[in-house]
Each structure stands twice: as structure tokens, then as C-alpha cells.
Amino acid sequence: MTPRAVIIGPPGSGKSTVGPALAARLGLAFRDSDDDIVASVGKPITDIFAEEGEPAFRALEEEMVAKALAEHEGVLSLGGGAPITPGTRERLAGHTVVFLNVGMAAGVQRAGLSTARPLLAGVNPRATYKALLDARLPVYREVATFEIETDHLTADEVVEAALIGLNEISKDRA
């Protein structure tokens, strides 16, 4: 078993919107690793960060991603930071990974700098978001099969671009 597509990207890139829409278009189930974490622990991700810290969260996230990659056949969306964990990057090898890229301005606007996003809470969320993008962009590109620039696209247009990319990958592998 392997997911048809794994969706990655920073906060505000559209993973939570595009993932379910892409799954619906493909006639497949959708799964979100962040939802798996919340269901497993029984508390919000912000609480896990606050009470146990980022390293504990990342270890749990890596475990949940490994499980999802092994048992889910549909579209799988990963939390924005999941690919920064070396074990997760290794596990993504061989999977079709769709990187939803978003620039800082659009990402900040879409993410809303909400406190529901623990890594964006703080004194200067815009600077934090920029640092996050700068650090993660090379990692996202390292694991991505293909990339979609989402800044000026609607969710439907991103889904269409993903479908085109997935069809190209299928042709190449046939």
C-alpha cells in the first residue's frame, strides 16, 4: 500500500483545502497526519507543543507519518514541518510528493498568523514565517516529486495542476 499522493508545504500553502479536493477528484480517501496526531494523543497540536515541546511533537509526528505512509492508499497531507525530520524525509523517498509552495506574503495572509499554528506564535510572526520558509524550502524541494506555486491560484486551479502532475508521473512510470 502506498498513497497516491503526499501533499507537503508550509502553513498557508493550501494543504488542508487542496488535499481533500484532490482526493475527491481522484475518488480516493483523504488523510491528514496532523489529524492522526490529535486523534492519537487526544489533544490539540498547540497543547502538545506547549506541554511537551517541539522535539516530542516531531517524534510523534514521525511515527504517525510512517504509519500513514504504510497503510493509506489515497491522498495524504503532512503537517508543514513533517519533512524536516530526517526519518520522514527517508520514508518519503519513492512516494509521489506534491509540494504546494507559497510565498511569504500569500502564506502570511492565508495562515492568518493564528495562534493555532504554534511555530508562528510569538513576537514577530512575519519574521518567524520568513525564517520558516527559508529553512524549509530546500527540504521541501529535496523530497518533492513536483512543485506547484500556489500564490495566484485558486484551490481548484491547484487541484488541476496536481492532477496534471500526477498524470505526467503515471505516464513516466508506465
PDB file of all heavy atoms in Angstrom, residues 88-101:
ATOM      1  N   THR A  88      11.474  11.039   8.328  1.00  0.00           N
ATOM      2  CA  THR A  88      10.333  11.265   7.437  1.00  0.00           C
ATOM      3  C   THR A  88      10.820  11.512   6.016  1.00  0.00           C
ATOM      4  O   THR A  88      10.246  10.978   5.060  1.00  0.00           O
ATOM      5  CB  THR A  88       9.474  12.442   7.944  1.00  0.00           C
ATOM      6  OG1 THR A  88       8.932  12.077   9.218  1.00  0.00           O
ATOM      7  CG2 THR A  88       8.340  12.760   6.983  1.00  0.00           C
ATOM      8  N   ARG A  89      11.892  12.290   5.870  1.00  0.00           N
ATOM      9  CA  ARG A  89      12.442  12.510   4.518  1.00  0.00           C
ATOM     10  C   ARG A  89      12.822  11.180   3.873  1.00  0.00           C
ATOM     11  O   ARG A  89      12.537  10.947   2.699  1.00  0.00           O
ATOM     12  CB  ARG A  89      13.660  13.444   4.573  1.00  0.00           C
ATOM     13  CG  ARG A  89      13.290  14.882   4.708  1.00  0.00           C
ATOM     14  CD  ARG A  89      14.412  15.825   4.326  1.00  0.00           C
ATOM     15  NE  ARG A  89      15.663  15.614   5.028  1.00  0.00           N
ATOM     16  CZ  ARG A  89      15.952  16.077   6.246  1.00  0.00           C
ATOM     17  NH1 ARG A  89      15.045  16.755   6.926  1.00  0.00           N
ATOM     18  NH2 ARG A  89      17.131  15.869   6.784  1.00  0.00           N
ATOM     19  N   GLU A  90      13.451  10.302   4.634  1.00  0.00           N
ATOM     20  CA  GLU A  90      13.835   8.987   4.093  1.00  0.00           C
ATOM     21  C   GLU A  90      12.601   8.195   3.683  1.00  0.00           C
ATOM     22  O   GLU A  90      12.592   7.553   2.631  1.00  0.00           O
ATOM     23  CB  GLU A  90      14.637   8.203   5.139  1.00  0.00           C
ATOM     24  CG  GLU A  90      16.018   8.760   5.387  1.00  0.00           C
ATOM     25  CD  GLU A  90      16.713   8.086   6.572  1.00  0.00           C
ATOM     26  OE1 GLU A  90      16.313   6.957   6.956  1.00  0.00           O
ATOM     27  OE2 GLU A  90      17.645   8.693   7.124  1.00  0.00           O
ATOM     28  N   ARG A  91      11.567   8.230   4.506  1.00  0.00           N
ATOM     29  CA  ARG A  91      10.348   7.478   4.211  1.00  0.00           C
ATOM     30  C   ARG A  91       9.612   8.020   2.982  1.00  0.00           C
ATOM     31  O   ARG A  91       8.885   7.289   2.325  1.00  0.00           O
ATOM     32  CB  ARG A  91       9.415   7.491   5.417  1.00  0.00           C
ATOM     33  CG  ARG A  91       9.848   6.571   6.522  1.00  0.00           C
ATOM     34  CD  ARG A  91       8.879   6.606   7.696  1.00  0.00           C
ATOM     35  NE  ARG A  91       9.358   5.763   8.770  1.00  0.00           N
ATOM     36  CZ  ARG A  91      10.171   6.184   9.741  1.00  0.00           C
ATOM     37  NH1 ARG A  91      10.581   7.436   9.780  1.00  0.00           N
ATOM     38  NH2 ARG A  91      10.562   5.351  10.681  1.00  0.00           N
ATOM     39  N   LEU A  92       9.778   9.305   2.691  1.00  0.00           N
ATOM     40  CA  LEU A  92       9.098   9.902   1.539  1.00  0.00           C
ATOM     41  C   LEU A  92       9.727   9.491   0.209  1.00  0.00           C
ATOM     42  O   LEU A  92       9.102   9.613  -0.839  1.00  0.00           O
ATOM     43  CB  LEU A  92       9.066  11.425   1.654  1.00  0.00           C
ATOM     44  CG  LEU A  92       8.112  11.973   2.712  1.00  0.00           C
ATOM     45  CD1 LEU A  92       8.299  13.479   2.865  1.00  0.00           C
ATOM     46  CD2 LEU A  92       6.673  11.625   2.388  1.00  0.00           C
ATOM     47  N   ALA A  93      10.961   8.996   0.254  1.00  0.00           N
ATOM     48  CA  ALA A  93      11.633   8.555  -0.970  1.00  0.00           C
ATOM     49  C   ALA A  93      10.788   7.470  -1.634  1.00  0.00           C
ATOM     50  O   ALA A  93      10.318   6.544  -0.982  1.00  0.00           O
ATOM     51  CB  ALA A  93      13.024   8.036  -0.647  1.00  0.00           C
ATOM     52  N   GLY A  94      10.564   7.616  -2.919  1.00  0.00           N
ATOM     53  CA  GLY A  94       9.784   6.638  -3.659  1.00  0.00           C
ATOM     54  C   GLY A  94       8.290   6.931  -3.697  1.00  0.00           C
ATOM     55  O   GLY A  94       7.556   6.279  -4.420  1.00  0.00           O
ATOM     56  N   HIS A  95       7.841   7.889  -2.898  1.00  0.00           N
ATOM     57  CA  HIS A  95       6.432   8.296  -2.931  1.00  0.00           C
ATOM     58  C   HIS A  95       6.270   9.493  -3.868  1.00  0.00           C
ATOM     59  O   HIS A  95       7.224  10.231  -4.117  1.00  0.00           O
ATOM     60  CB  HIS A  95       5.963   8.702  -1.522  1.00  0.00           C
ATOM     61  CG  HIS A  95       5.844   7.548  -0.586  1.00  0.00           C
ATOM     62  ND1 HIS A  95       4.761   6.692  -0.580  1.00  0.00           N
ATOM     63  CD2 HIS A  95       6.684   7.085   0.368  1.00  0.00           C
ATOM     64  CE1 HIS A  95       4.940   5.768   0.345  1.00  0.00           C
ATOM     65  NE2 HIS A  95       6.101   5.982   0.938  1.00  0.00           N
ATOM     66  N   THR A  96       5.075   9.688  -4.377  1.00  0.00           N
ATOM     67  CA  THR A  96       4.778  10.859  -5.188  1.00  0.00           C
ATOM     68  C   THR A  96       4.425  11.994  -4.229  1.00  0.00           C
ATOM     69  O   THR A  96       3.383  11.960  -3.582  1.00  0.00           O
ATOM     70  CB  THR A  96       3.617  10.577  -6.150  1.00  0.00           C
ATOM     71  OG1 THR A  96       3.985   9.488  -6.995  1.00  0.00           O
ATOM     72  CG2 THR A  96       3.306  11.803  -7.002  1.00  0.00           C
ATOM     73  N   VAL A  97       5.329  12.966  -4.142  1.00  0.00           N
ATOM     74  CA  VAL A  97       5.199  14.064  -3.189  1.00  0.00           C
ATOM     75  C   VAL A  97       4.930  15.361  -3.945  1.00  0.00           C
ATOM     76  O   VAL A  97       5.730  15.771  -4.791  1.00  0.00           O
ATOM     77  CB  VAL A  97       6.469  14.206  -2.319  1.00  0.00           C
ATOM     78  CG1 VAL A  97       6.337  15.368  -1.338  1.00  0.00           C
ATOM     79  CG2 VAL A  97       6.760  12.902  -1.576  1.00  0.00           C
ATOM     80  N   VAL A  98       3.796  15.976  -3.637  1.00  0.00           N
ATOM     81  CA  VAL A  98       3.375  17.216  -4.276  1.00  0.00           C
ATOM     82  C   VAL A  98       3.655  18.355  -3.303  1.00  0.00           C
ATOM     83  O   VAL A  98       3.070  18.424  -2.224  1.00  0.00           O
ATOM     84  CB  VAL A  98       1.870  17.182  -4.618  1.00  0.00           C
ATOM     85  CG1 VAL A  98       1.453  18.465  -5.319  1.00  0.00           C
ATOM     86  CG2 VAL A  98       1.539  15.957  -5.459  1.00  0.00           C
ATOM     87  N   PHE A  99       4.574  19.243  -3.691  1.00  0.00           N
ATOM     88  CA  PHE A  99       4.948  20.383  -2.855  1.00  0.00           C
ATOM     89  C   PHE A  99       4.125  21.594  -3.265  1.00  0.00           C
ATOM     90  O   PHE A  99       4.251  22.103  -4.368  1.00  0.00           O
ATOM     91  CB  PHE A  99       6.443  20.648  -3.002  1.00  0.00           C
ATOM     92  CG  PHE A  99       6.928  21.965  -2.449  1.00  0.00           C
ATOM     93  CD1 PHE A  99       6.350  22.561  -1.331  1.00  0.00           C
ATOM     94  CD2 PHE A  99       8.002  22.606  -3.046  1.00  0.00           C
ATOM     95  CE1 PHE A  99       6.807  23.770  -0.835  1.00  0.00           C
ATOM     96  CE2 PHE A  99       8.482  23.814  -2.560  1.00  0.00           C
ATOM     97  CZ  PHE A  99       7.878  24.397  -1.455  1.00  0.00           C
ATOM     98  N   LEU A 100       3.249  22.043  -2.357  1.00  0.00           N
ATOM     99  CA  LEU A 100       2.485  23.271  -2.570  1.00  0.00           C
ATOM    100  C   LEU A 100       3.309  24.421  -2.017  1.00  0.00           C
ATOM    101  O   LEU A 100       3.435  24.585  -0.808  1.00  0.00           O
ATOM    102  CB  LEU A 100       1.125  23.195  -1.865  1.00  0.00           C
ATOM    103  CG  LEU A 100       0.223  22.024  -2.239  1.00  0.00           C
ATOM    104  CD1 LEU A 100      -1.118  22.140  -1.521  1.00  0.00           C
ATOM    105  CD2 LEU A 100       0.036  21.913  -3.738  1.00  0.00           C
ATOM    106  N   ASN A 101       3.888  25.188  -2.907  1.00  0.00           N
ATOM    107  CA  ASN A 101       4.745  26.302  -2.498  1.00  0.00           C
ATOM    108  C   ASN A 101       3.919  27.572  -2.405  1.00  0.00           C
ATOM    109  O   ASN A 101       2.997  27.783  -3.194  1.00  0.00           O
ATOM    110  CB  ASN A 101       5.885  26.488  -3.502  1.00  0.00           C
ATOM    111  CG  ASN A 101       6.997  27.363  -2.961  1.00  0.00           C
ATOM    112  OD1 ASN A 101       6.933  27.876  -1.844  1.00  0.00           O
ATOM    113  ND2 ASN A 101       8.032  27.531  -3.761  1.00  0.00           N
TER     114      ASN A 101
END
